[in-house]
Amino acid sequence: MQQTHIITLIPGDGIGPEVTDAVVRILEATGVQFTWERFAAGAGAFEKHKEYIPKELYHSIERNKVALKGPVTTPVGGGFASINVTLRKKFELYANFRPIKNLPGLETRYPDVDLIIIRENTEGLYVGLEHEVVPGVIESLKVMTEKGCTRIAKFAFAYAKQHGRRKIHAIHKANIMKMSDGLFLRCAREVGKKYPEITYAEHIIDNTCMQLVMNPYQYDTLVMENLYGDIVSDLCAAFVGGLGLVPGANLGDEAAIFEAVHGSAPDIAGKDIANPTALLQSAILMLRHIGESAAADRVQTALEKTYAAKKSLTRDVGGTAGTRAFADAVIQALEEGR
Ligand code: NAI
């Protein structure tokens, strides 16, 4: 009998439940056996359990080591801490891996983009240490550690070597944050010495944004601290068709949470128009992670066929189909590929 994969599932809120539902249906159509442990998080969870992250959710990830997650809304300028950041810190998911690649048949601002963004996921300004020094003066602390900077650099170089990538750029602002970003660069240089076959370079973050828009092809793999990685990911998503497409994986030594780069998109929630491709591509990363590479290849082929056919695409990429209809088309392509 086929083994079942027990996966923690966090549908999230906003467009989260819609895109998660679409992706779960596609995954189940592969024939791979899944048992989903489903949990609410954020404001929805608080209403039911009086906890933003229920204890059972933590325990489920501890047991299963793998989660598939939809976006969760974070209140702006107050309220509870980001569920996403809390989970990444709790499970030490220090590497946020975000591949930026075109899908066939989809006309975008740039063709043939193939970038890897590796974002440090547990430190920097996201440690959430803010306080009022005196009325009218706030300090927000950026915390960088040698351990954190070294392990993300190791992740980036090891990934590049394993996947035949030729170049790594460390992105920084060490001209201003001489100590924190300076440490990041020192660690990256040190790790880089062990990988002479990979070209290593350093670019300042503001220049990087301009260079990326002028000519994204000059980059291959970019490694950077938390906030820069957050911003650069959205920027690069625009090259290949937008946030509806770009996947992500939060990876640590013990656990992994797969989620799209995008957020809960309240502007389009509940309308059956969100594009589930970003979460689907995150789920493809998950399939590879759990050893289901053949199923991952089949879903990738079905997804590419759906895009190449230019039918049943969602509005964000120029189509007219809804979330569910798009998922149906991918499932049909999967079945035709059997
Ligand atoms: P967002 O990523 O939710 O939306 C930005 C724009 O992209 C919107 O116009 C939205 O309609 C569009 N978009 C996003 N995903 C799409 C999809 N799958 N298909 C079609 N269009 C899509 O960013 P925003 O509005 O800044 O954040 C909304 C909320 O999400 C905030 O509370 C934020 O904190 C949270 N958030 C959560 C994340 C997570 O759970 N990992 C990540 C990023 C933001």
Side-chain angles (χ1 to χ4, degrees), residues 97-123:
F97 172 78
R98 294 172 159 183
I100 312 274
K101 233 177 157 203
N102 291 90
L103 280 164
L106 184 63
E107 272 179 38
T108 59
R109 294 198 185 272
Y110 297 89
D112 305 321
V113 173
D114 181 9
L115 289 168
I116 302 290
I117 295 174
I118 295 171
R119 164 185 175 188
E120 202 292 321
N121 222 12
T122 55
E123 301 194 333

Tab-separated table of all heavy atoms in Angstrom, residues 97-123:
chain	number	residue	atom	x	y	z
A	97	PHE	N	13.582	30.375	0.359
A	97	PHE	CA	14.046	30.067	-1.001
A	97	PHE	C	12.944	30.460	-1.991
A	97	PHE	O	11.814	29.975	-1.888
A	97	PHE	CB	14.320	28.556	-1.051
A	97	PHE	CG	14.613	28.040	-2.416
A	97	PHE	CD1	15.869	28.227	-2.978
A	97	PHE	CD2	13.652	27.360	-3.143
A	97	PHE	CE1	16.143	27.747	-4.247
A	97	PHE	CE2	13.920	26.883	-4.414
A	97	PHE	CZ	15.175	27.082	-4.966
A	98	ARG	N	13.280	31.353	-2.922
A	98	ARG	CA	12.258	31.868	-3.840
A	98	ARG	C	12.767	31.880	-5.286
A	98	ARG	O	13.489	32.794	-5.688
A	98	ARG	CB	11.865	33.279	-3.401
A	98	ARG	CG	11.173	33.250	-2.049
A	98	ARG	CD	10.938	34.621	-1.469
A	98	ARG	NE	9.884	34.580	-0.467
A	98	ARG	CZ	9.429	35.622	0.173
A	98	ARG	NH1	9.916	36.822	-0.067
A	98	ARG	NH2	8.463	35.499	1.064
A	99	PRO	N	12.414	30.881	-6.059
A	99	PRO	CA	12.841	30.867	-7.459
A	99	PRO	C	11.929	31.754	-8.322
A	99	PRO	O	10.711	31.714	-8.168
A	99	PRO	CB	12.692	29.391	-7.851
A	99	PRO	CG	11.709	28.821	-6.890
A	99	PRO	CD	11.675	29.679	-5.656
A	100	ILE	N	12.532	32.534	-9.200
A	100	ILE	CA	11.776	33.445	-10.069
A	100	ILE	C	12.006	32.987	-11.504
A	100	ILE	O	13.108	33.157	-12.051
A	100	ILE	CB	12.291	34.899	-9.915
A	100	ILE	CG1	12.439	35.309	-8.445
A	100	ILE	CG2	11.449	35.864	-10.739
A	100	ILE	CD1	11.229	35.839	-7.767
A	101	LYS	N	10.994	32.408	-12.093
A	101	LYS	CA	11.150	31.794	-13.415
A	101	LYS	C	9.899	32.029	-14.248
A	101	LYS	O	8.797	32.010	-13.711
A	101	LYS	CB	11.341	30.281	-13.229
A	101	LYS	CG	12.556	29.759	-13.902
A	101	LYS	CD	12.801	28.309	-13.674
A	101	LYS	CE	13.652	27.892	-14.838
A	101	LYS	NZ	13.743	26.657	-15.267
A	102	ASN	N	10.083	32.200	-15.539
A	102	ASN	CA	8.914	32.366	-16.412
A	102	ASN	C	8.183	31.052	-16.613
A	102	ASN	O	8.793	29.986	-16.595
A	102	ASN	CB	9.352	32.871	-17.793
A	102	ASN	CG	9.856	34.284	-17.745
A	102	ASN	OD1	11.040	34.506	-17.547
A	102	ASN	ND2	8.965	35.229	-17.890
A	103	LEU	N	6.886	31.183	-16.861
A	103	LEU	CA	6.112	30.012	-17.281
A	103	LEU	C	5.933	30.088	-18.797
A	103	LEU	O	5.781	31.185	-19.348
A	103	LEU	CB	4.753	30.001	-16.584
A	103	LEU	CG	4.799	29.475	-15.153
A	103	LEU	CD1	3.540	29.839	-14.391
A	103	LEU	CD2	4.991	27.959	-15.138
A	104	PRO	N	5.937	28.956	-19.477
A	104	PRO	CA	5.864	28.995	-20.939
A	104	PRO	C	4.549	29.593	-21.416
A	104	PRO	O	3.500	29.371	-20.810
A	104	PRO	CB	5.949	27.511	-21.335
A	104	PRO	CG	5.615	26.751	-20.115
A	104	PRO	CD	5.982	27.598	-18.946
A	105	GLY	N	4.646	30.391	-22.472
A	105	GLY	CA	3.430	30.926	-23.085
A	105	GLY	C	2.925	32.197	-22.434
A	105	GLY	O	2.053	32.875	-22.974
A	106	LEU	N	3.447	32.534	-21.279
A	106	LEU	CA	2.966	33.719	-20.579
A	106	LEU	C	3.884	34.899	-20.906
A	106	LEU	O	5.062	34.892	-20.553
A	106	LEU	CB	2.945	33.455	-19.071
A	106	LEU	CG	2.367	34.576	-18.226
A	106	LEU	CD1	0.907	34.807	-18.563
A	106	LEU	CD2	2.517	34.254	-16.742
A	107	GLU	N	3.315	35.882	-21.599
A	107	GLU	CA	4.128	37.051	-21.954
A	107	GLU	C	4.284	37.945	-20.735
A	107	GLU	O	3.299	38.302	-20.091
A	107	GLU	CB	3.460	37.831	-23.080
A	107	GLU	CG	3.884	37.298	-24.437
A	107	GLU	CD	3.216	38.028	-25.573
A	107	GLU	OE1	3.044	39.255	-25.474
A	107	GLU	OE2	2.861	37.332	-26.541
A	108	THR	N	5.515	38.279	-20.423
A	108	THR	CA	5.770	39.072	-19.218
A	108	THR	C	6.750	40.193	-19.553
A	108	THR	O	7.192	40.318	-20.696
A	108	THR	CB	6.388	38.188	-18.116
A	108	THR	OG1	7.608	37.637	-18.612
A	108	THR	CG2	5.454	37.061	-17.703
A	109	ARG	N	7.108	40.955	-18.561
A	109	ARG	CA	8.005	42.090	-18.815
A	109	ARG	C	9.366	41.619	-19.327
A	109	ARG	O	10.019	42.310	-20.087
A	109	ARG	CB	8.204	42.892	-17.539
A	109	ARG	CG	6.928	43.545	-17.120
A	109	ARG	CD	7.113	44.678	-16.145
A	109	ARG	NE	5.789	45.134	-15.751
A	109	ARG	CZ	5.107	46.066	-16.412
A	109	ARG	NH1	5.633	46.668	-17.437
A	109	ARG	NH2	3.905	46.399	-16.004
A	110	TYR	N	9.803	40.466	-18.860
A	110	TYR	CA	11.097	39.917	-19.294
A	110	TYR	C	10.917	38.431	-19.583
A	110	TYR	O	10.354	37.718	-18.764
A	110	TYR	CB	12.149	40.054	-18.189
A	110	TYR	CG	12.475	41.467	-17.796
A	110	TYR	CD1	11.740	42.108	-16.800
A	110	TYR	CD2	13.522	42.163	-18.398
A	110	TYR	CE1	12.020	43.412	-16.429
A	110	TYR	CE2	13.820	43.461	-18.029
A	110	TYR	CZ	13.070	44.085	-17.048
A	110	TYR	OH	13.353	45.373	-16.681
A	111	PRO	N	11.412	37.949	-20.732
A	111	PRO	CA	11.362	36.504	-20.971
A	111	PRO	C	12.578	35.807	-20.348
A	111	PRO	O	13.586	36.463	-20.032
A	111	PRO	CB	11.432	36.409	-22.499
A	111	PRO	CG	12.198	37.633	-22.912
A	111	PRO	CD	11.951	38.694	-21.873
A	112	ASP	N	12.484	34.523	-20.188
A	112	ASP	CA	13.634	33.680	-19.800
A	112	ASP	C	14.356	34.129	-18.535
A	112	ASP	O	15.577	34.040	-18.441
A	112	ASP	CB	14.662	33.599	-20.947
A	112	ASP	CG	14.021	33.108	-22.226
A	112	ASP	OD1	13.173	32.197	-22.134
A	112	ASP	OD2	14.333	33.649	-23.305
A	113	VAL	N	13.613	34.623	-17.579
A	113	VAL	CA	14.232	34.989	-16.299
A	113	VAL	C	14.454	33.706	-15.502
A	113	VAL	O	13.613	32.797	-15.513
A	113	VAL	CB	13.316	35.950	-15.504
A	113	VAL	CG1	13.861	36.198	-14.104
A	113	VAL	CG2	13.155	37.258	-16.256
A	114	ASP	N	15.577	33.628	-14.854
A	114	ASP	CA	15.886	32.459	-14.021
A	114	ASP	C	16.744	32.934	-12.847
A	114	ASP	O	17.958	32.882	-12.887
A	114	ASP	CB	16.618	31.407	-14.872
A	114	ASP	CG	16.930	30.160	-14.066
A	114	ASP	OD1	16.438	30.042	-12.929
A	114	ASP	OD2	17.682	29.306	-14.579
A	115	LEU	N	16.053	33.428	-11.839
A	115	LEU	CA	16.746	33.993	-10.674
A	115	LEU	C	16.401	33.176	-9.440
A	115	LEU	O	15.281	32.670	-9.319
A	115	LEU	CB	16.261	35.421	-10.408
A	115	LEU	CG	16.660	36.522	-11.372
A	115	LEU	CD1	15.849	37.778	-11.085
A	115	LEU	CD2	18.141	36.823	-11.210
A	116	ILE	N	17.351	33.089	-8.525
A	116	ILE	CA	17.060	32.475	-7.226
A	116	ILE	C	17.283	33.553	-6.159
A	116	ILE	O	18.370	34.137	-6.081
A	116	ILE	CB	18.001	31.280	-6.936
A	116	ILE	CG1	17.913	30.207	-8.019
A	116	ILE	CG2	17.742	30.711	-5.545
A	116	ILE	CD1	16.625	29.423	-8.047
A	117	ILE	N	16.253	33.767	-5.355
A	117	ILE	CA	16.415	34.701	-4.224
A	117	ILE	C	16.461	33.876	-2.947
A	117	ILE	O	15.570	33.055	-2.692
A	117	ILE	CB	15.251	35.702	-4.169
A	117	ILE	CG1	15.308	36.572	-5.424
A	117	ILE	CG2	15.321	36.555	-2.903
A	117	ILE	CD1	14.149	37.497	-5.575
A	118	ILE	N	17.507	34.098	-2.181
A	118	ILE	CA	17.637	33.402	-0.902
A	118	ILE	C	17.645	34.466	0.192
A	118	ILE	O	18.567	35.281	0.281
A	118	ILE	CB	18.899	32.515	-0.887
A	118	ILE	CG1	18.726	31.412	-1.942
A	118	ILE	CG2	19.130	31.925	0.516
A	118	ILE	CD1	19.953	30.587	-2.191
A	119	ARG	N	16.576	34.450	0.963
A	119	ARG	CA	16.350	35.492	1.968
A	119	ARG	C	16.581	34.915	3.357
A	119	ARG	O	16.006	33.874	3.689
A	119	ARG	CB	14.898	35.960	1.816
A	119	ARG	CG	14.354	36.745	2.981
A	119	ARG	CD	12.871	37.035	2.771
A	119	ARG	NE	12.305	37.699	3.932
A	119	ARG	CZ	11.018	37.939	4.111
A	119	ARG	NH1	10.140	37.577	3.181
A	119	ARG	NH2	10.577	38.532	5.203
A	120	GLU	N	17.409	35.584	4.156
A	120	GLU	CA	17.558	35.174	5.557
A	120	GLU	C	16.205	35.430	6.230
A	120	GLU	O	15.584	36.465	6.030
A	120	GLU	CB	18.675	35.980	6.235
A	120	GLU	CG	19.265	35.293	7.463
A	120	GLU	CD	18.315	35.189	8.644
A	120	GLU	OE1	17.561	36.152	8.889
A	120	GLU	OE2	18.296	34.145	9.331
A	121	ASN	N	15.769	34.500	7.047
A	121	ASN	CA	14.357	34.465	7.415
A	121	ASN	C	14.087	34.617	8.903
A	121	ASN	O	12.935	34.528	9.319
A	121	ASN	CB	13.832	33.085	6.962
A	121	ASN	CG	12.483	33.126	6.315
A	121	ASN	OD1	11.988	34.187	5.976
A	121	ASN	ND2	11.890	31.960	6.140
A	122	THR	N	15.116	34.789	9.716
A	122	THR	CA	14.874	34.774	11.169
A	122	THR	C	15.436	36.007	11.891
A	122	THR	O	15.202	36.159	13.088
A	122	THR	CB	15.540	33.533	11.814
A	122	THR	OG1	16.929	33.529	11.461
A	122	THR	CG2	14.900	32.240	11.350
A	123	GLU	N	16.227	36.841	11.189
A	123	GLU	CA	16.934	37.912	11.900
A	123	GLU	C	16.614	39.291	11.310
A	123	GLU	O	15.526	39.518	10.810
A	123	GLU	CB	18.450	37.656	11.837
A	123	GLU	CG	18.873	36.341	12.447
A	123	GLU	CD	20.372	36.271	12.680
A	123	GLU	OE1	21.136	36.945	11.970
A	123	GLU	OE2	20.775	35.542	13.595
